[in-house]
């Protein structure tokens, strides 16, 4: 329930800025700290035992409170009526037409509320020429208009028809998709030219992966990288997902079943190629030389589609996993062209569907807009919802986390050479926190980025493809810049899903922690939140990203983002190896990668010690918070930390993958806390309880 009133409060506070009367009638709002204290308690299942399953204890009732505002009145429990009535009538009506998708975790709750605010913003500007819109028109009116066009075209989609994409994007050489046309000519099909052409519209990681990335030896300039697709990218889609796509484009069940079976068998063979080792390593070569070196693959066909016909054969690229590429060619020789073409088509459909709205609703069309125009969305969220007075608080928090981790490095538990410790501390020193993908005063960058693209309020598919193409082109144009990019320019990341999410992340080649403007919103952040809660939530998130600079892959990068870090010296240290091994043991129970574990374990320690001080022997009689007198401060810290990861429990009958995803978050909390002696001390957990790991792992 409290969640609901928080969201209502958010919407009111937003509306309040422009229409001063609409929220006045409600009684004086409780303070943020009161709201959050009530919320914290409401999520807890105090019948669960904290030393047995802390996640259940902290998050057991979370789901009961996620009746987001779109719920119908009838479905509200009686106790909810009161708050519900406060919601403006207009909102309620809209809410009922709106999404049935329920946010499934804290970040999803945050993004949902952000998307609703953005939607109001774009729609208001639409109602021609009022004070608010006049004010916002001053800043990049054309960009606003483009975003609005995308949004409107999305809302008009009825129905969302995947087949349209295939009509707009035939495979290369004047050929057609085999499923859609009798005039499909297998002999004219060229897989490299086809994926080259589709790469231009954002498809990547299908058979091979092509990216523009900062150079490994000079992160200030870019190179073209060719590689095999990642493990996740080749993970078989499964016949079910393929059949669904095929039915979406109007195939019969019989055809869909038959085709999915063929493609599935190919996909499994392809996935097995992942096992090939890269015993040749990365090589840099000229395009012309590549064509001679791996003649079985017609590279020039691919590159011509992507870079245009005036290819410079002397331009270089960095190629990795050559043994995979050779084996790929052999595998593809054995396939019928039709199977291969259908595989590419299915991957294309899955990709585009993911970029589009999950359903035609206001919120989902905004979510799709954020995926299609990530740079513009980041800028707009920063412009409209970012409170600059947060900046000092957040950057102070980040500095103190750095300070504490710097002390840990100096203590040198691993007994590394002094020179290596020095290098690590310099890297930490140089690590930056960046808010948003674009500086708010740099509207030129955003405007220039979107300048050449034209969008129409009546052509959703065309808009989407134009924007996808724009970002691939923009990325490839980075290759033409002469060693002249600013290290805060993150536009090369626009093809990543992170660019449209509110989740923070660490950018290794830039040595910076990227914090999207969107994250500094309730329920994750408010400047009036207690410092304790700021540390337990945002502080943990920042510390986790900071630690990625010092995980087993982060140590390969130096302070300016070149792959010249002291990784060999550190990896050969036996204590470091032991620590990783300790975590490896716990991975056996099925959770994320080793580096995620490292970042979680170490970040909790760093942020806890940043807040409470590193001296564990001090008198612990901190005064209790009058709002939550039943918990000590330290207990409350762990509860807030755990609640950042509260999520929806999927019943087993629902999609298995989602269930797994959730199990991961639950496991994350349980393992991270069980690994930390301060946690068990604070809750008085005995040795044999589940929340006490047998072995506690520590790296730095
Ligand atoms: C946050 O705190 C300030 C100063 O204490 C107060 O003026 C403001 O109203 C508070 N904001 C909210 C939303 O509670
Ligand atoms: C805002 O809209 C109202 C009604 O449409 C109109 O009366 C008013 O003049 C507008 N305000 C401005 C500043 O244009
Ligand atoms: C934006 O502000 C930063 C510091 O606040 C400054 O260094 C930078 O030059 C400004 N950029 C532009 C384009 O004005
Ligand atoms: C560096 O880039 C800027 C714009 O990004 C451009 O105006 C300038 O001419 C470039 N300088 C060099 C030396 O290439
Ligand atoms: Zn991580």
């Amino acid at each position: 329930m409290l969640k609901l009133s928080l969201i209502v409060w958010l919407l009111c506070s937003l509306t309040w800025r422009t229409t001063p009367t609409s929220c006045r009638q409600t009684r004086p709002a409780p303070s943020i700290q009161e709201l959050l204290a009530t919320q914290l308690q409401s999520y807890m299942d105090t019948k669960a035992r904290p030393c047995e399953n802390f996640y259940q204890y902290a998050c057991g009732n979370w789901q009961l409170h996620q009746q987001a505002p779109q719920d119908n009145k009838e479905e509200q429990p009686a106790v909810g009526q009161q708050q519900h009535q406060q919601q403006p009538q207009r909102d309620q009506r809209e809410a009922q037409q709106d999404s049935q998708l329920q946010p499934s975790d804290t970040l999803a709750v945050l993004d949902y509320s952000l998307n609703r605010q953005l939607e109001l913003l774009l729609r208001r500007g639409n109602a021609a020429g009022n004070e608010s819109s006049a004010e916002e028109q001053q800043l990049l009116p054309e960009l606003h208009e483009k975003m609005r066009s995308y949004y409107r075209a999305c809302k008009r989609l009825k129905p969302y028809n995947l087949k349209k994409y295939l009509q707009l994007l035939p495979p290369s050489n004047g050929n057609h998709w085999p499923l859609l046309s009798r005039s499909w000519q297998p002999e004219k099909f060229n897989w490299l030219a086809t994926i080259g052409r589709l790469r231009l519209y954002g498809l990547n990681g299908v058979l091979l992966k092509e990216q523009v990335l900062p150079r490994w030896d000079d992160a200030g300039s870019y190179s073209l990288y060719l590689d095999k697709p990642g493990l996740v990218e080749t993970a078989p889609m499964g016949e079910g997902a393929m059949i669904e796509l095929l039915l979406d484009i109007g195939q019969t069940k019989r055809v869909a079943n038959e085709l999915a079976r063929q493609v599935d068998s190919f996909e499994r063979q392809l996935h097995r190629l992942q096992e090939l080792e890269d015993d040749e390593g990365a090589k840099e070569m000229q395009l012309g030389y590549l064509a001679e070196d791996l003649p079985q693959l017609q590279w020039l066909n691919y590159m011509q589609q992507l870079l245009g016909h005036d290819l410079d054969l002397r331009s270089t690229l960095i190629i990795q996993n050559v043994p995979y590429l050779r084996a790929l060619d052999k595998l593809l020789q054995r396939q019928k062209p039709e199977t291969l073409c259908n595989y590419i088509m299915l991957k294309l459909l899955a990709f585009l569907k993911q970029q589009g709205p999950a359903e035609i609703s206001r919120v989902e069309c905004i979510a799709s807009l954020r995926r299609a125009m990530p740079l513009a969305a980041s800028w707009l969220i920063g412009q409209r919802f970012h409170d600059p007075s947060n900046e000092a608080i957040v950057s102070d928090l980040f500095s103190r986390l750095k300070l504490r981790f710097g002390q840990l490095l100096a203590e040198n538990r691993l007994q590394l050479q002094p020179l290596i410790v020095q290098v690590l501390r310099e890297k930490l020193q140089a690590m930056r926190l960046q808010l948003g993908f674009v500086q708010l005063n740099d509207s030129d960058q955003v405007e220039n980025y979107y300048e050449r693209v034209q969008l129409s309020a009546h052509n959703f598919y065309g808009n989407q493809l134009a924007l996808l193409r724009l970002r691939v082109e923009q990325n490839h144009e980075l290759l033409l810049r002469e060693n002249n990019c600013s290290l805060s320019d993150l536009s090369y990341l626009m093809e990543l899903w992170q660019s449209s999410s509110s989740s923070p992340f660490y950018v290794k080649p830039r040595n910076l922690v990227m914090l999207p403007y969107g994250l500094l919103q309730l329920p994750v952040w408010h400047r009036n939140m207690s410092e304790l809660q700021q540390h337990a939530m945002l502080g943990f998130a920042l510390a986790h990203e900071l630690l990625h600079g010092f995980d087993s892959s982060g140590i390969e990068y130096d302070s300016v983002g070149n792959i010249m870090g002291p990784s060999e010296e550190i990896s050969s240290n036996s204590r470091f190896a032991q620590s990783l091994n300790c975590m490896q043991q716990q991975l056996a129970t099925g959770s994320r990668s080793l580096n995620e574990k490292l970042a979680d374990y170490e970040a909790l320690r760093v942020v806890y010690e940043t807040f409470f001080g590193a001296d564990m022997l001090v008198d612990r009689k901190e005064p209790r918070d009058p709002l939550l007198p039943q918990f000590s401060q330290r207990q409350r810290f762990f509860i807030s930390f755990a609640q950042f990861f509260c999520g929806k429990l999927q019943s087993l009958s629902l999609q298995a993958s989602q269930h797994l995803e959730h199990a991961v978050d639950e496991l994350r909390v349980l393992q991270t806390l069980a690994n930390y002696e301060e946690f068990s001390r604070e809750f008085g957990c005995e040795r044999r309880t589940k929340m006490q790991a047998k072995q506690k792992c520590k790296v730095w």
Side-chain angles (χ1 to χ4, degrees), residues 216-365:
W216 68 276
D217 57 350
D218 173 16
S221 59
Y222 296 90
S223 259
L224 203 67
Y225 282 76
L226 276 182
D227 204 347
K228 68 174 181 183
L231 201 56
V232 177
E233 287 160 324
T234 57
M237 276 192 264
E239 289 186 40
M242 291 188 227
I243 291 171
E244 196 179 311
L245 289 170
L246 290 165
L247 296 178
D248 275 357
I249 60 166
Q251 298 300 307
T252 63
K253 260 203 166 118
R254 197 180 52 79
V255 172
N257 281 329
E258 170 64 18
L259 209 136
R261 207 172 42 78
Q262 284 169 13
V263 175
D264 183 64
S265 144
F266 166 68
E267 234 185 354
R268 287 172 192 284
Q269 297 174 56
L270 180 67
H271 191 54
R272 280 201 286 278
L273 297 188
Q274 285 287 334
E275 290 158 20
L276 287 171
E277 296 282 338
D278 188 9
D279 45 22
E280 297 179 31
K283 305 179 206 179
E284 177 152 21
M285 54 174 89
Q286 293 187 342
L287 211 47
Y289 183 77
L290 173 65
E292 289 172 27
D293 193 49
L294 273 173
Q296 59 273 56
L297 300 176
Q298 296 165 22
W299 293 109
L300 299 184
N301 265 331
Y302 180 86
M303 293 297 169
Q304 253 154 18
Q305 294 288 340
L306 189 53
L307 304 174
H309 287 268
D310 43 353
L311 275 186
D312 179 356
L313 294 182
R314 286 163 308 166
S315 65
T316 68
L317 50 77
I318 296 171
I319 187 163
Q320 296 176 87
N321 283 296
V322 171
Y324 162 87
L325 294 170
R326 291 209 188 89
L328 176 69
D329 173 61
K330 290 217 184 81
L331 173 65
L332 298 190
Q333 299 273 351
R334 297 199 304 268
Q335 304 303 317
K336 283 199 304 194
E338 200 166 324
T339 307
L340 195 48
C341 191
N342 285 330
Y343 169 70
I344 296 174
M345 180 193 77
L346 284 166
K347 292 297 263 191
L348 175 69
L349 289 174
F351 165 71
L352 292 168
K353 190 174 178 181
Q354 209 175 27
Q355 297 287 319
E359 61 179 15
I360 306 306
S361 69
R362 298 172 193 280
V363 167
E364 266 305 310
C365 280

Side-chain angles (χ1 to χ4, degrees), residues 70-283:
Q70 70 265 30
D71 272 355
N72 292 332
K73 221 175 181 175
E74 306 85 75
E75 291 166 12
Q76 286 291 325
V79 280
Q81 292 293 349
Q82 212 180 353
Q83 267 109 332
H84 201 85
Q85 241 95 70
Q86 292 171 8
Q87 202 167 348
Q89 216 41 52
R90 191 177 57 92
D91 262 357
Q92 225 177 77
R93 203 188 59 238
E94 273 159 22
Q96 282 170 16
Q97 306 165 347
D98 217 324
S99 158
Q100 292 305 307
L101 299 176
Q102 294 275 329
S104 59
D105 58 27
T106 303
L107 275 184
V109 169
L110 179 141
D111 271 326
Y112 185 89
S113 126
L114 200 58
N115 290 346
R116 282 187 62 100
Q117 296 178 62
L118 274 174
E119 197 264 332
L120 287 172
L121 187 68
L122 286 180
R123 196 149 42 91
R124 231 190 2 256
N126 207 358
N130 229 312
E131 30 178 335
S132 64
S133 62
E135 161 203 333
E136 111 204 359
Q137 297 296 353
Q138 288 166 4
L139 272 167
L140 309 190
E142 282 172 25
L143 188 70
H144 274 90
E145 202 42 52
K146 283 174 186 165
M147 297 177 91
R148 229 168 263 138
S149 295
Y150 185 94
Y151 171 71
R152 273 189 252 166
C154 176
K155 281 286 294 174
R156 287 191 175 121
L157 268 184
K158 268 179 194 144
Y160 182 33
N161 181 358
L162 292 181
K163 203 167 169 180
K164 284 278 187 340
Y165 291 126
L166 299 180
Q167 287 156 356
L168 290 167
L169 281 183
S172 59
N173 292 356
N175 216 338
H176 300 276
W177 296 105
L179 273 185
L180 299 193
S181 161
R182 293 228 177 81
S183 50
W184 147 258
Q185 297 162 284
E187 66 288 350
K188 273 176 74 182
F189 173 67
N190 177 318
W191 69 269
L192 262 168
T194 301
I195 58 173
R197 180 178 154 78
L198 299 176
R199 174 72 192 98
L200 200 49
Y201 295 91
L203 188 70
N204 205 359
V206 176
L207 303 173
L208 54 91
K209 184 145 182 148
E210 188 267 2
Q211 288 169 287
V212 176
L213 296 173
R215 281 188 63 87
W216 68 276
D217 57 350
D218 173 16
S221 59
Y222 296 90
S223 259
L224 203 67
Y225 282 76
L226 276 182
D227 204 347
K228 68 174 181 183
L231 201 56
V232 177
E233 287 160 324
T234 57
M237 276 192 264
E239 289 186 40
M242 291 188 227
I243 291 171
E244 196 179 311
L245 289 170
L246 290 165
L247 296 178
D248 275 357
I249 60 166
Q251 298 300 307
T252 63
K253 260 203 166 118
R254 197 180 52 79
V255 172
N257 281 329
E258 170 64 18
L259 209 136
R261 207 172 42 78
Q262 284 169 13
V263 175
D264 183 64
S265 144
F266 166 68
E267 234 185 354
R268 287 172 192 284
Q269 297 174 56
L270 180 67
H271 191 54
R272 280 201 286 278
L273 297 188
Q274 285 287 334
E275 290 158 20
L276 287 171
E277 296 282 338
D278 188 9
D279 45 22
E280 297 179 31
K283 305 179 206 179

